[in-house]
Amino acid sequence: MPLLSTRAFLSTMSHPATKTRLRGVVFDMDGTLTVPVIDFPAMYRAVLGDDEYRRIKAQSPSGIDILNHIERWPPHQQRQAYDTIAHFEREGLHRLQIMPGASDLCRLLDSKKIRRGLITRNSKSAVDLFHERFGITFSPALSREFRPYKPDPTPLLHICSLWEIQPNEVIMVGDSLKDDVVCGRQAGAFTCLLDQTGRYGSPEYADVGFKPDFKVTSLAEVFSVLELNFDLSP
């Protein structure tokens, strides 16, 4: 399916011939359900060093997979790297804010009896804090303690198995091409990219291997995309 912005979708797909049944939505957390607060470039530089960060960034313009990268390191270096990552994440938790539109979107999904799951590369403690602070629960909610993590499709396939539904009845919503979109597409699910700033429209992302089925600039747009593209009947 071609990539569609909400605007393009409204103008070209107002009357789809057959709508696919949607039975579940799986969300990313950081930058999707929560406002971005972690300075990822600073974190990557702290873990990798400036020279290595620039080298890897040049080779991977769509983003750095820091967790998979450090898994190749010796155990003592891995511990140091995870400690650094945990420091940045703890700092981020102090400023944790729910993304505008997240609560309303969840209520609309609940009204249609559409299941809500979560896959994040953040820690379980961050997921627990999100559930506690904002009173919105996702089940299952898989953190990086579940291996392998995104962009491997295993977490999403695991959720589909628990829900006893097919991947093509699910959509993955996230703000990362390299993690969320790749995970969803490899699992056989639909994908929706949250691109608030329009950065994924820049030339450096023109030739990426996986593109989303839909692209939105806010969570407030997601339900309209789902309602017009899919059968949302309970």
Side-chain angles (χ1 to χ4, degrees):
M1 183 180 295
L3 168 64
L4 295 171
S5 67
T6 302
R7 186 174 300 169
F9 166 77
L10 290 172
S11 63
T12 62
M13 298 190 65
S14 300
H15 305 287
T18 303
K19 291 184 178 181
T20 299
R21 177 76 180 278
L22 186 71
R23 301 176 64 191
V25 180
V26 178
F27 293 89
D28 166 58
M29 189 174 78
D30 297 295
T32 302
L33 292 172
T34 63
V35 175
V37 293
I38 298 175
D39 186 343
F40 284 103
M43 184 177 75
Y44 297 155
R45 285 192 295 269
V47 171
L48 299 168
D50 289 340
D51 292 341
E52 184 70 356
Y53 168 74
R54 285 192 292 268
R55 184 187 70 80
I56 297 175
K57 177 65 176 174
Q59 293 177 347
S60 306
S62 62
I64 295 174
D65 190 343
I66 191 69
L67 296 180
N68 278 323
H69 186 80
I70 63 179
E71 280 193 342
R72 300 191 292 268
W73 292 359
H76 71 283
Q77 285 185 279
Q78 287 188 29
R79 286 192 295 271
Q80 292 175 349
Y82 284 123
D83 286 346
T84 300
I85 291 171
H87 169 74
F88 277 85
E89 289 174 341
R90 284 192 300 270
E91 290 295 311
L93 291 179
H94 296 311
R95 305 187 302 276
L96 192 65
Q97 301 175 55
I98 195 166
M99 184 70 77
S103 296
D104 289 341
L105 176 57
C106 289
R107 281 193 290 269
L108 288 168
L109 294 175
D110 291 347
S111 74
K112 298 293 185 179
K113 301 188 185 316
I114 294 173
R115 297 183 184 218
R116 295 185 281 106
L118 185 152
I119 302 173
T120 178
R121 289 158 61 99
N122 208 323
S123 64
K124 182 179 182 300
S125 60
V127 174
D128 291 343
L129 178 63
F130 173 85
H131 284 160
E132 178 183 350
R133 182 172 295 181
F134 302 116
I136 303 173
T137 302
F138 294 81
S139 180
L142 304 182
S143 58
R144 67 163 169 262
E145 286 80 3
F146 182 97
R147 302 288 185 94
Y149 29 64
K150 298 182 298 184
D152 192 285
T154 300
L156 185 50
L157 293 172
H158 178 71
I159 289 177
C160 291
S161 176
L162 292 176
W163 285 347
E164 297 184 335
I165 62 179
Q166 297 301 311
N168 62 5
E169 298 175 300
V170 171
I171 189 166
M172 178 79 200
V173 179
D175 69 321
S176 171
L177 273 176
K178 70 177 181 64
D179 293 331
D180 305 314
V181 172
V182 171
C183 174
R185 294 302 294 266
Q186 289 191 131
F190 290 92
T191 58
C192 180
L193 178 67
L194 174 61
D195 186 10
Q196 292 182 289
T197 63
R199 70 187 181 109
Y200 287 116
S202 63
E204 65 184 299
Y205 298 106
D207 298 322
V208 294
F210 288 90
K211 295 185 183 295
D213 298 296
F214 309 102
K215 185 167 73 171
V216 296
T217 59
S218 72
L219 289 183
E221 300 173 18
V222 172
F223 192 76
S224 294
V225 170
L226 300 183
E227 195 171 39
L228 292 172
N229 254 312
F230 298 94
D231 175 5
L232 305 183
S233 57

